[in-house]
Amino acid sequence: MFSLRSAGMFSIRPDIVIIDECNTNVYILEVSCCFDSRLEEAYLTKLVKYQPPVQQISGSAYKCPFLVFTFGSLGHVHKLVTRGLRIVGFSKMKAK
């Protein structure tokens, strides 16, 4: 049985964690809202912050898709949000 404590995730708290024991996946989802001009910067900040625990989980028996959903305060959406929604199971039409 997987636990976040065993993966060393003490100091950070992801917005959403989905543990799929059947398929040995641990999905880590982060949601970020920022100024539209800072979408890329906000995305990269989250990516760097969660890289060590994602690598640690991926080094175990689990796969660890890490998804960052970054939205701008005026309604813009980071270009990789659609890909992330597809990974968690949305159809291509609904993800757009």
Side-chain angles (χ1 to χ4, degrees):
M1 166 86 67
F2 179 83
S3 77
L4 293 177
R5 288 185 187 262
S6 66
M9 292 182 64
F10 296 110
S11 61
I12 58 174
R13 296 177 51 147
D15 292 325
I16 302 169
V17 176
I18 302 169
I19 300 171
D20 179 1
E21 293 284 348
C22 295
N23 296 313
T24 62
N25 285 323
V26 176
Y27 296 93
I28 298 177
L29 289 75
E30 268 296 307
V31 180
S32 177
C33 184
C34 61
F35 289 115
D36 288 48
S37 61
R38 304 274 188 189
L39 282 174
E40 192 65 31
E41 182 182 336
Y43 176 83
L44 292 173
T45 299
K46 296 287 187 178
L47 198 63
V48 169
K49 177 180 178 181
Y50 284 92
Q51 188 174 6
V54 166
Q55 287 178 339
Q56 186 173 357
I57 294 168
S58 296
S60 67
Y62 288 84
K63 293 175 276 221
C64 187
F66 174 60
L67 308 168
V68 179
F69 298 117
T70 308
F71 302 96
S73 58
L74 297 177
H76 289 90
V77 178
H78 190 271
K79 59 189 173 193
L80 295 177
V81 168
T82 303
R83 182 184 67 87
L85 291 172
R86 298 280 320 274
I87 289 171
V88 295
F90 282 79
S91 69
K92 186 175 184 178
M93 182 182 231
K94 287 187 177 185
K96 288 185 174 187

